[in-house]
Amino acid sequence: MSEILDRLAETLEARKNADPQSSYVAKLYAKGIDSILKKVGEEAAETIIAAKGGNRDEIIYETADLWFHTLVMLANAGLHPNDVLNELARREGLSGIAEKAARKDQ
């Protein structure tokens, strides 16, 4: 499944140099981080509403939108989906309570 993330990351990186008139993602980049974060927030809210409604297809659709805009945010910050996957791998097998406690100690 990480192949799709790699392909998306590659496309999102390429869109940094695209004409904002020809690409939705290039337009988001041109508008700046505040517009990107606004989209992440909007999609998060729509995902919450879909989950509350319980319709499986809507949950999937809205989560895909949320993930996509989060990937745009990551790319804008010079990060790759693998950076997040590596963090998830690091946390695998850790107690959530212990992991949060360790963050407080830092």
Side-chain angles (χ1 to χ4, degrees):
M1 225 6 109
S2 68
E3 298 86 19
I4 186 66
L5 292 177
D6 288 337
R7 289 193 304 273
L8 277 169
E10 188 176 304
T11 299
L12 294 176
E13 195 62 33
R15 294 297 189 269
K16 287 181 179 179
N17 300 315
D19 177 4
Q21 299 302 317
S22 68
S23 164
Y24 169 74
V25 173
K27 190 181 296 186
L28 278 177
Y29 287 141
K31 287 182 177 180
I33 188 64
D34 287 346
S35 289
I36 294 168
L37 296 176
K38 182 179 177 186
K39 284 304 296 181
V40 171
E42 287 173 9
E43 299 304 341
E46 290 173 5
T47 301
I48 291 166
I49 292 166
K52 182 75 173 162
N55 181 298
R56 180 182 185 279
D57 291 338
E58 287 180 20
I59 294 167
I60 292 168
Y61 182 88
E62 295 301 343
T63 301
D65 280 351
L66 175 58
W67 286 11
F68 177 81
H69 287 89
T70 300
L71 291 170
V72 173
M73 178 196 66
L74 289 171
N76 187 72
L79 298 168
H80 189 279
N82 285 338
D83 296 316
V84 177
L85 294 175
N86 289 338
E87 176 61 15
L88 289 171
R90 184 191 69 78
R91 294 180 188 186
E92 187 176 16
L94 293 178
S95 158
I97 294 170
E99 198 277 330
K100 284 185 180 186
R103 280 192 267 161
K104 288 181 185 175
D105 293 339
Q106 295 178 2

